[in-house]
Structure formats: structure tokens, C-alpha cells
Amino acid sequence: MIARTGPADTPYVSNGAVKIARDDQGVLSGIILVVPRDRDKIMKGRRKKFLADIRHQLERQFDRTAAPQQVIDTILDRIDDARIEGIACQTMEVAMFRTGELRIWFDMRFFLGREVHAQAIPPSPEELELAEALPPQAYFFAKDITHLHYHHEPDSDQLLPLTRLQAVATAADHEANELNWRRETLWGLARVVSQYRQRNTLYDFKKVLGMLAYADAFQSTLALVWRKQSLDDLIEPHDRLSRYDFAHTRSSVEAMESLATWKRSGGLQLFAIMAGVVLSSLALWAGAVQIRPMVCPEPIGNGKSVPHCPPVHYMDTASAVVWVTQNPVLFTAIIFLIGFATFVLVFRDVTFIPFGKRLQRALSRLSKAIGTTMSRLVKVDSGLADWLGYLSALSVLGATLSGAVLLAINRNAIGETIAGWISWLLGIAP
């Protein structure tokens, strides 16, 4: 991109009204040069020298050894020489205003380098395809090198589309073009806001608020004015563009952001509590291991340790200590579930628990499906059918949890079953 700043009209808002001022650095205008790679060794060497010459001219500007316009004129002359040498060069004119407005245009003959040879050759299908593909890439390139990415990732800088304008024959055509790209920009901003909202995360809600700030800035300035056919003409007020009321959207997003923040804090509290429960259960297990020799002595006989523990009856302290020392994983899991259930009962909400809302939604859908099915089978009213469906869903959930607990208690059977499955999958004989 080879460009320099220049004066332009810049709209701004003052006391709720749009005003226009002449800004000495209101536009960055110039060209975007595309020099494709070439497999030919000779052309590859010419291309390398051509790019080195351009870098040298730019360094002259940095060293203050040449005036800016002199550097640009020299580079443009060098581009003409490169086209005569057979180097492929595509150039597009670009104007980027301080309002964020970016315009890219080109003449097809100059784009293809035909004016150097003064040949009136119609463009080929490949050249027409190139003319369609390069402007959007030049648009993304210009955006990438001229601004930082605050509300989206650098590798997804395609939030707003590049709107192609039609050839202007009358003043009505020009007005339609000006309305079209502004309308497409507003639609694009609204689509991005909707996409971020649907992700339903705190990070995306923050990005939505940033995009709404962009949308409000656009609606309060560029949506209320338009440029004439020449960029040198003055900007005029224009109010024929239908706009969005983003105030309600912002209020909704702020409410959702507050809810997401609350869920995040609740999830962090849950994590801290569950971590404390696990550590406490491990401490209890360690204490039980230390107490076991006192409640369950192991006398030494014939040089060997002889176990001498009472049978586990689940009714006395000694049996509880023995069971805890023999089942540390199951003991920790039970304590974890007790702490989890206590937390849910106290706060009476599962939405901030990981996958809690999904489980709640799945249970609700299951109960409704079972209720609908049972109402068709027993032919009862909808209220009773809903209760039957809810009880059936709870029965299914209870049976699932009970089965999981029974399998956890009978851990030896689980190990043997899993080992058998693995052996069967690997084709290993038991």
C-alpha cells in the first residue's frame, strides 16, 4: 500500500446534530499494489529487483531525502517500467477516511496494465475473475494494516462485507450506491451482534457491546451524510437510510452480561467448594488410615502380619474407619456428591453448574415427551399427563443414578466387566 494523507471533509456530532469540518488529514489515499509470484526464473529475478526498488524509494521518504509526492511519482513510474518488462502488476486506487470509510476502485485497463502498451484487448475470463477476487483481499489487507482488533480476533477480520457499487450513469445511480453500502454495513453489524449474542458467553457479550459502540458511531455520522460523485465535493446531510434502534439491544446484552457474570462467580464458588470437599475427604481418609491400627490391630505371628479386623457392619465407628481406608475413591465420590447436592439445595439454581442448564433442559424435554406419549396411551387430561411424564422422567433419572451407585459400590464387577470389554475389542482371549 502506497499512500499519503490529504484534506477531506469529516462529519462529527455536536449537541446531537451532525456537522461537517474540513480536516487537513481527513483521508489516506493512494494505491494498493499486487505483485503475484512468477515461476519463471528470469521473471522471478526481475520481480525481486522491482520490489527492492520500491523499498528503496520508501526508505528515501523515511530518511527525509525525498518529498512524499516525489517518492510516489517515482514508484508509479517504476510500476509502468515493470509492466513493460513483463512483470505482472495489479494496482487499485484506495481512499481511507478518518470516519472509517474505505473506498477501492480501479480502471480495468490500468488494473491489467494495458494502457502501457496502448492495446485495446478485451480482458480474458481469468482476468475478469482476478478483478473480482483481488478487491475483497485488498479490503481485508487495508483493514489489517491500519487498525487494531479490539472486539474480534485478527484472523476473523471479515465481519463486514465489501459492497460492490454499480456503474453510475445518473444522480439516482450514485444515490442508490451510497445507500446500498451503508445499508449493507448496518446489516452486517446487526448480523455480527446477533451471532455474538447467540454464543451466550461472557466474552462474547463483551464483544457485542464493542460492536454496538461501532454501530452507534456509524449511525450517528456516516448514516446521516453522503458524498457526491466526486471525492472533492462537499459532504451533504442525508436521511433516507433506515436505521436500527440499538438501545434495546444494548440493554438486553447488559442484562445477559450481568447474568453471565453471576453464573461465572457462582461457578467459581462451586469449584472452590468442591475442591475443598475433595481435599477434606482426602484429609478424612488420611486420618482414618492413622486411626485404623488402633481400632483394628494387626498382631504379628510367626514373623508375618496377620490381619485381625472385625467384619464391616456399617453400624459402628471401627467398621466405618475400615471401610473408608479400603474404599478411598468411593468415599471421596460420596462426599463430593453430598457437597454438590447441598450446594444446589442451598442456592436452588443449577444454571451456573457446568452442563447444569443442558441437563435441566434435557430432563424437561424428556418429561414432556413421556407425558405426551402417556396422554395418548391412557387418554387423560393434559395436566395429569404432565405430572405422569414428570414422574416418569424422575423415575428414569433415579433408576440411572441408582444403577450408577450400585456399579460404583460393586467396583470389582465393574473392573472385571471393563477388562472383559477391552479384551473382547482387542480380540484377546480371557
Side-chain angles (χ1 to χ4, degrees), residues 111-132:
F111 178 78
L112 300 175
R114 297 274 169 78
E115 84 292 345
V116 176
H117 304 286
Q119 297 175 351
I121 303 176
S124 64
E126 292 79 10
E127 291 173 335
L128 291 176
E129 183 178 358
L130 184 65
E132 291 284 346

Side-chain angles (χ1 to χ4, degrees), residues 304-326:
K304 297 182 179 180
S305 177
V306 179
H308 182 69
C309 295
V312 178
H313 297 294
Y314 302 101
M315 295 298 292
D316 53 22
T317 304
S319 298
V321 171
V322 173
W323 184 85
V324 169
T325 56
Q326 292 177 349

Side-chain angles (χ1 to χ4, degrees), residues 163-166 173-187 241:
T163 305
R164 180 175 179 177
L165 305 182
Q166 303 300 322
D173 296 336
H174 175 70
E175 183 179 10
N177 282 337
E178 293 295 306
L179 287 175
N180 186 33
W181 77 262
R182 287 171 168 80
R183 187 183 301 110
E184 290 291 338
T185 301
L186 276 179
W187 287 350
L241 179 66

Side-chain angles (χ1 to χ4, degrees), residues 152-399:
H152 56 88
E153 301 300 328
D155 56 355
S156 62
D157 198 9
Q158 301 182 9
L159 300 177
L160 299 179
L162 178 66
T163 305
R164 180 175 179 177
L165 305 182
Q166 303 300 322
V168 176
T170 62
D173 296 336
H174 175 70
E175 183 179 10
N177 282 337
E178 293 295 306
L179 287 175
N180 186 33
W181 77 262
R182 287 171 168 80
R183 187 183 301 110
E184 290 291 338
T185 301
L186 276 179
W187 287 350
L189 289 169
R191 284 193 298 266
V192 172
V193 168
S194 178
Q195 291 172 3
Y196 284 157
R197 286 183 62 187
Q198 292 174 1
R199 295 178 185 177
N200 200 30
T201 64
L202 181 60
Y203 177 66
D204 288 307
F205 291 150
K206 296 288 187 182
K207 293 195 292 186
V208 168
L209 295 177
M211 296 304 299
L212 288 175
Y214 287 154
D216 284 338
F218 181 83
Q219 287 199 139
S220 62
T221 52
L222 286 180
L224 300 178
V225 297
W226 69 318
R227 298 183 186 275
K228 293 297 188 67
Q229 296 188 31
S230 175
L231 296 181
D232 296 329
D233 294 337
L234 298 177
I235 296 178
E236 292 184 356
H238 196 277
D239 59 354
R240 293 189 59 187
L241 179 66
S242 59
R243 291 172 291 166
Y244 287 86
D245 183 5
F246 288 115
H248 297 85
T249 304
R250 180 179 290 99
S251 300
S252 174
V253 172
E254 289 175 349
M256 296 171 70
E257 181 192 13
S258 300
L259 181 61
T261 303
W262 176 79
K263 290 181 180 179
R264 174 71 64 85
S265 62
L268 293 176
Q269 294 176 11
L270 176 62
F271 175 78
I273 292 174
M274 293 298 102
V277 168
V278 172
L279 295 176
S280 300
S281 62
L282 294 177
L284 290 174
W285 175 78
V289 171
Q290 295 177 356
I291 297 174
R292 178 173 176 171
M294 294 182 289
V295 299
C296 181
E298 297 182 356
I300 304 298
N302 299 326
K304 297 182 179 180
S305 177
V306 179
H308 182 69
C309 295
V312 178
H313 297 294
Y314 302 101
M315 295 298 292
D316 53 22
T317 304
S319 298
V321 171
V322 173
W323 184 85
V324 169
T325 56
Q326 292 177 349
N327 302 272
V329 177
L330 184 58
F331 171 70
T332 302
I334 291 176
I335 296 299
F336 183 87
L337 290 176
I338 292 175
F340 183 84
T342 304
F343 184 88
V344 173
L345 290 175
V346 170
F347 287 93
R348 298 182 181 276
D349 198 339
V350 297
T351 55
F352 50 78
I353 299 173
F355 304 105
K357 192 171 184 179
R358 295 182 182 180
L359 179 61
Q360 187 182 37
R361 187 183 297 114
L363 180 61
S364 175
R365 291 177 178 176
L366 178 62
S367 64
K368 292 179 180 178
I370 295 177
T372 302
T373 303
M374 295 195 65
S375 64
R376 292 178 178 178
L377 293 177
V378 300
K379 296 181 179 180
V380 297
D381 57 23
S382 58
L384 181 59
D386 291 340
W387 275 104
L388 290 176
Y390 182 69
L391 293 177
S392 301
L394 289 180
S395 301
V396 173
L397 181 61

Side-chain angles (χ1 to χ4, degrees), residues 38-48:
D38 200 317
R39 295 181 179 179
D40 185 84
K41 292 183 178 180
I42 298 177
M43 299 307 301
K44 187 182 298 185
R46 294 179 180 177
R47 176 181 179 274
K48 184 176 181 180

Side-chain angles (χ1 to χ4, degrees), residues 31-176:
I31 63 170
I32 292 180
L33 173 65
V34 181
V35 187
R37 297 180 182 273
D38 200 317
R39 295 181 179 179
D40 185 84
K41 292 183 178 180
I42 298 177
M43 299 307 301
K44 187 182 298 185
R46 294 179 180 177
R47 176 181 179 274
K48 184 176 181 180
K49 184 178 182 304
F50 169 57
L51 295 177
D53 292 342
I54 292 180
R55 293 191 184 95
H56 173 68
Q57 294 298 328
L58 294 176
E59 290 174 357
R60 292 179 60 198
Q61 167 61 25
F62 295 145
D63 297 339
R64 303 294 183 179
T65 58
Q69 191 59 46
Q70 180 183 358
V71 171
I72 294 177
D73 293 339
T74 303
I75 292 177
L76 292 178
D77 293 338
R78 185 65 184 90
I79 292 174
D80 292 340
D81 296 338
R83 284 171 169 164
I84 294 176
E85 295 173 6
I87 301 175
C89 299
Q90 282 80 40
T91 56
M92 292 162 281
E93 296 188 66
V94 58
M96 182 179 296
F97 298 88
R98 291 192 62 181
T99 56
E101 179 184 354
L102 175 65
R103 294 175 181 263
I104 299 174
W105 70 98
F106 58 87
D107 181 86
M108 183 62 76
R109 294 177 303 165
F110 188 74
F111 178 78
L112 300 175
R114 297 274 169 78
E115 84 292 345
V116 176
H117 304 286
Q119 297 175 351
I121 303 176
S124 64
E126 292 79 10
E127 291 173 335
L128 291 176
E129 183 178 358
L130 184 65
E132 291 284 346
L134 279 185
Q137 299 306 315
Y139 164 61
F140 300 136
F141 166 75
K143 289 206 304 181
D144 191 51
I145 65 174
T146 55
H147 84 293
L148 297 176
H149 307 81
Y150 294 102
H151 304 293
H152 56 88
E153 301 300 328
D155 56 355
S156 62
D157 198 9
Q158 301 182 9
L159 300 177
L160 299 179
L162 178 66
T163 305
R164 180 175 179 177
L165 305 182
Q166 303 300 322
V168 176
T170 62
D173 296 336
H174 175 70
E175 183 179 10

